[in-house]
C-alpha cells in the first residue's frame, strides 16, 4: 500500500501523461544520451553538406581552366567547407560521443549541467544556418579561407563577413559550454572509488580537451571580433596603414589554431585506446580453445 492520497496519485499520473513527446521531447531533452545522439546526427548532416562542397571543389579542379563555377564562388566553397568540417562535423561528433560515453564511463547518472547541455547543442544549428545563408547574400559568403587571414577578411571580404563572425561566436559559446559541462561532470560526478587514475583513457582525453577548449575559444572570439571592428567600425588592428599589423592576426589565430588540432585528435586517441583493448580481449577469448574458456580463479 502507498501512503499517498488519491489526489497525489492522480497528480503524478497527470504529470506522467504530459511528458513532452515528438519534436518537443528533443527540443527540451536534458538526457545525455538524447543530446549525444542529436550531436552525432547534426555532425553527420554537416559532414554531408561539407562533403557536397568538397565535390564542387574537386569537380572544379578536375582539369586545368575554369570548369563549373566562377573563382569567387570556388573561394566561398573552400572557406565554408573548411569551417563546416572543423566546427560542424569533427567537433560536434566528438562532443556527441563525450555526452554518450563520459557519464557511463565514470558512473554518473547524467551530465552535471543538463539544461546547459541542451542549450549548447541547440544553438549550433542556428550558427550553421547563418553561415550557410551568407552564401545567398549579395556578394556571396565568406571567401577568404577558413583561417580568414587579414587583410583578406577585413579589407577585401564581402558584406556577409558579419554573419560569419556571429556564427563563429555562437560555435565558440557552444564549445565552451560543452567543455565546462565535461569538466564539472568528471570532477564532481565520478562514482565512489573512481579516482582520476582509474578513469578510462577516453575520459582523460576529453578532460584535457575540455580545458584546451576553454583556453583557446575566447582567443578565436577575440580574433574574429577584431576582424569585425576592422571591417565595419574603422579600427586598424590588422591594417598597417593605420598602425596595425596583419601578421598579428596570424599570431592570435594560431594561438587558437595549434591547440585546435589537439582538440580534434585527442578524443580520437581516446576512442582508439578504448576500442583496441576491448577488441583484443574479445578476439583472444574467441580464439582460445573451448576447454580453456573458464573463468580464472583469483590469485
Amino acid at each position: 500500500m502507498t501512503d499517498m492520497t488519491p489526489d497525489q496519485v492522480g497528480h503524478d499520473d497527470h504529470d506522467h501523461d504530459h511528458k513532452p513527446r515528438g519534436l518537443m521531447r528533443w527540443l527540451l531533452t536534458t538526457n545525455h544520451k538524447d543530446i549525444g545522439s542529436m550531436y552525432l546526427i547534426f555532425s553527420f548532416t554537416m559532414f554531408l553538406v561539407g562533403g557536397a562542397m568538397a565535390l564542387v571543389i574537386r569537380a572544379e579542379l578536375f582539369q586545368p581552366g575554369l570548369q563549373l563555377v566562377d573563382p569567387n564562388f570556388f573561394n566561398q566553397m573552400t572557406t565554408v567547407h573548411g569551417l563546416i568540417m572543423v566546427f560542424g562535423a569533427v567537433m560536434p561528433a566528438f562532443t556527441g560521443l563525450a555526452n554518450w560515453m563520459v557519464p557511463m564511463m565514470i558512473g554518473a547518472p547524467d551530465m552535471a549541467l543538463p539544461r546547459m547541455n541542451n542549450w549548447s547543442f541547440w544553438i549550433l544549428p542556428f550558427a550553421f544556418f547563418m553561415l550557410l545563408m551568407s552564401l545567398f547574400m549579395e556578394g556571396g559568403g565568406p571567401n577568404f579561407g577558413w583561417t580568414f587571414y587579414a587583410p583578406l577578411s577585413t579589407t577585401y571580404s564581402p558584406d556577409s563577413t558579419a554573419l560569419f563572425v556571429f556564427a563563429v561566436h555562437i560555435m565558440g559559446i557552444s564549445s565552451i559550454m560543452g567543455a565546462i559541462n565535461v569538466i564539472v561532470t568528471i570532477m564532481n560526478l565520478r562514482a565512489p572509488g573512481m579516482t582520476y587514475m582509474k578513469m578510462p583513457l577516453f575520459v582523460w582525453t576529453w578532460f584535457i580537451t575540455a580545458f584546451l577548449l576553454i583556453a583557446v575559444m575566447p582567443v578565436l572570439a577575440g580574433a574574429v571580433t577584431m576582424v569585425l571592428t576592422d571591417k565595419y567600425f574603422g579600427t586598424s588592428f590588422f591594417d598597417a596603414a593605420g598602425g596595425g599589423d596583419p601578421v598579428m592576426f596570424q599570431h592570435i589565430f594560431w594561438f587558437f589554431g595549434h591547440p585546435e588540432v589537439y582538440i580534434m585528435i585527442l578524443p580520437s586517441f581516446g576512442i582508439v585506446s578504448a576500442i583496441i583493448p576491448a577488441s583484443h580481449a574479445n578476439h583472444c577469448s574467441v580464439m582460445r580453445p573451448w576447454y580453456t574458456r573458464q573463468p580464472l580463479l583469483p590469485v
Side-chain angles (χ1 to χ4, degrees):
M1 295 292 290
T2 179
D3 294 333
M4 290 192 297
T5 65
D7 288 343
Q8 289 173 312
V9 173
H11 182 67
D12 285 350
D13 290 342
H14 177 76
D15 286 348
H16 180 73
D17 291 340
H18 284 77
K19 283 184 178 179
R21 288 186 171 84
L23 179 62
M24 292 307 293
R25 175 232 166 144
W26 296 100
L27 284 173
L28 304 177
T29 183
T30 52
N31 181 291
H32 72 101
K33 294 180 182 178
D34 286 350
I35 295 170
S37 297
M38 290 194 297
Y39 266 111
L40 291 169
I41 293 168
F42 174 79
S43 167
F44 183 66
T45 304
M46 288 295 102
F47 177 79
L48 295 178
V49 173
M53 294 178 179
L55 289 176
V56 174
I57 295 167
R58 300 314 308 177
E60 180 59 44
L61 295 176
F62 181 68
Q63 62 186 32
L66 296 178
Q67 315 299 324
L68 302 172
V69 296
D70 68 85
N72 185 45
F73 186 74
F74 181 86
N75 290 343
Q76 294 171 44
M77 287 292 99
T78 56
T79 303
V80 179
H81 162 79
L83 291 167
I84 283 178
M85 286 304 192
V86 172
F87 296 105
V90 177
M91 291 172 70
F94 289 139
T95 308
L97 285 172
N99 269 282
W100 254 97
M101 301 307 299
V102 168
M104 294 194 293
M105 284 182 161
I106 64 174
D110 205 312
M111 297 294 279
L113 306 164
R115 292 185 186 276
M116 191 169 82
N117 203 18
N118 175 282
W119 189 28
S120 69
F121 168 77
W122 276 113
I123 63 176
L124 271 184
F126 292 97
F128 286 92
F129 178 77
M130 276 196 303
L131 182 62
L132 290 171
M133 288 303 102
S134 69
L135 294 169
F136 298 95
M137 286 185 63
E138 186 175 353
N143 60 1
F144 32 72
W146 86 269
T147 54
F148 42 98
Y149 276 5
L152 289 175
S153 56
T154 54
T155 306
Y156 306 110
S157 56
D159 290 338
S160 59
T161 303
L163 277 183
F164 152 78
V165 170
F166 193 25
V168 170
H169 273 301
I170 296 176
M171 299 170 204
I173 291 168
S174 172
S175 294
I176 290 170
M177 288 197 296
I180 291 170
N181 220 340
V182 168
I183 291 171
V184 175
T185 302
I186 293 173
M187 293 187 74
N188 291 346
L189 294 186
R190 299 191 312 279
M194 172 65 73
T195 64
Y196 283 110
M197 290 298 105
K198 290 181 180 177
M199 291 193 314
L201 204 52
F202 177 77
V203 179
W204 261 112
T205 56
W206 244 107
F207 196 41
I208 297 164
T209 298
F211 280 106
L212 286 176
L213 281 166
I214 291 173
V216 304
M217 293 311 289
V219 179
L220 179 67
V224 295
T225 302
M226 286 190 275
V227 166
L228 186 80
T229 58
D230 267 17
K231 181 165 179 61
Y232 296 100
F233 298 101
T235 58
S236 298
F237 291 110
F238 309 126
D239 184 3
D245 183 1
V247 178
M248 183 175 73
F249 176 89
Q250 298 179 33
H251 291 307
I252 298 170
F253 178 85
W254 287 109
F255 190 93
F256 152 81
H258 189 76
E260 173 67 13
V261 301
Y262 298 100
I263 287 166
M264 291 194 288
I265 199 65
L266 276 172
S268 303
F269 292 160
I271 292 166
V272 171
S273 301
I275 291 171
I276 289 178
S279 301
H280 178 70
N282 183 55
H283 175 73
C284 291
S285 67
V286 170
M287 296 302 290
R288 288 204 316 263
W290 66 269
Y291 50 81
T292 66
R293 293 185 207 165
Q294 308 301 326
L296 298 176
L297 296 174
V299 177

